[in-house]
Amino acid sequence: DTGVSQDPRHKITKRGQNVTFRCDPISEHNRLYWYRQTLGQGPEFLTYFQNEAQLEKSRLLSDRFSAERPKGSFSTLEIQRTEQGDSAMYLCASSSKGLGMETQYFGPGTRLLVL
Amino acid sequence: GDSVTQMEGPVTLSEEAFLTINCTYTATGYPSLFWYVQYPGEGLQLLLKATKADDKGSNKGFEATYRKETTSFHLEKGSVQVSDSAVYFCALSTNAGKSTFGDGTTLTVKP
């Protein structure tokens, strides 16, 4: 168990460019979550997957954002036509759905800066 | 919708002082409650959790009790150390699995 990993850890881009982030969950965790965290605030839910199915999307997730988890393992989060307001830390978490409430394990995050 | 309200920070304490960080919540279902900690330059780590009313979560000297009647989950530690300096987040999770977080409370412990 190597924990949740995210790549890249930092990304600087110019407004209007597309960016893609990757998350590798803890192996055999069937749930995967994306959150966004801005300075001075707690993480805000964006979307989550159970296996390869995207089960819920927040209204925060505009149509410029898309997330995939094609084989039920790693996930990607793409932001098209980035805006300065997209600058934030993007967090990934994974958990295992089972009896009772599962614990989410967070990755180190990808810090995005849009210039 | 679900929400979590945390005591505003920052909180500054001397080493060995008693710590309380207040957390209250509203939820449409019966949530599990969590405290996460974020040390400088690191990711979110689960500190403790409680899944039903009157449960007490504890870890590293920190404790919190799930109080359904007051919808609260206050974090306490009897004697803080400099190494406890971090940002603490209260969170809830419902059957849907996603978590709702408070805005965090920054704790600084001075020697």
Side-chain angles (χ1 to χ4, degrees):
Chain A
D1 180 357
T2 57
V4 179
S5 62
Q6 292 187 245
D7 183 70
R9 295 289 305 275
H10 303 273
K11 179 70 176 179
I12 300 174
T13 191
K14 293 182 179 178
R15 191 175 51 189
Q17 297 295 304
N18 298 345
V19 295
T20 300
F21 309 141
R22 177 180 170 125
C23 170
D24 286 89
I26 293 171
S27 58
E28 298 180 358
H29 274 190
N30 54 6
R31 283 190 169 181
L32 187 148
Y33 306 80
W34 285 99
Y35 293 85
R36 181 172 66 188
Q37 185 178 18
T38 53
L39 200 60
Q41 296 194 335
E44 297 174 292
F45 170 77
L46 293 178
T47 188
Y48 90 96
F49 294 83
Q50 182 164 309
N51 300 313
E52 64 275 10
Q54 188 172 17
L55 294 188
E56 187 172 350
K57 294 195 294 185
S58 163
R59 277 173 280 183
L60 291 174
L61 212 66
S62 77
D63 56 7
R64 296 185 298 106
F65 288 70
S66 63
E68 295 183 342
R69 195 183 182 199
K71 296 181 180 179
S73 57
F74 73 92
S75 176
T76 58
L77 177 68
E78 181 184 18
I79 309 174
Q80 296 182 326
R81 305 181 304 281
T82 52
E83 302 173 356
Q84 288 182 327
D86 297 332
S87 296
M89 176 76 87
Y90 290 84
L91 298 170
C92 176
S94 70
S95 69
S96 180
K97 184 178 185 299
L99 295 177
M101 289 295 167
E102 68 267 26
T103 297
Q104 294 181 22
Y105 296 87
F106 283 81
T110 295
R111 185 172 294 282
L112 172 66
L113 178 61
V114 182
L115 301 176
Chain B
D2 299 342
S3 67
V4 175
T5 302
Q6 280 184 241
M7 181 172 99
E8 287 189 19
V11 174
T12 302
L13 296 173
S14 297
E15 209 164 20
E16 298 184 3
F18 183 85
L19 169 71
T20 299
I21 301 177
N22 290 339
C23 171
T24 57
Y25 68 90
T26 58
T28 52
Y30 195 142
S32 288
L33 302 175
F34 304 83
W35 277 100
Y36 287 86
V37 59
Q38 190 168 33
Y39 298 104
E42 298 185 15
L44 277 171
Q45 301 175 26
L46 178 67
L47 181 59
L48 54 84
K49 68 177 181 180
T51 58
K52 61 183 187 297
D54 300 325
D55 268 2
K56 178 185 283 188
S58 61
N59 186 26
K60 300 181 181 179
F62 290 90
E63 293 183 338
T65 300
Y66 190 144
R67 300 291 188 198
K68 193 168 187 289
E69 64 276 12
T70 55
T71 62
S72 65
F73 192 55
H74 304 323
L75 182 68
E76 296 182 337
K77 186 174 186 182
S79 176
V80 293
Q81 306 300 312
V82 172
S83 57
D84 293 327
S85 297
V87 183
Y88 293 82
F89 292 93
C90 184
L92 67 84
S93 181
T94 64
N95 283 326
K98 68 180 183 182
S99 292
T100 300
F101 288 81
D103 284 339
T105 302
T106 300
L107 170 67
T108 302
V109 180
K110 296 189 172 179

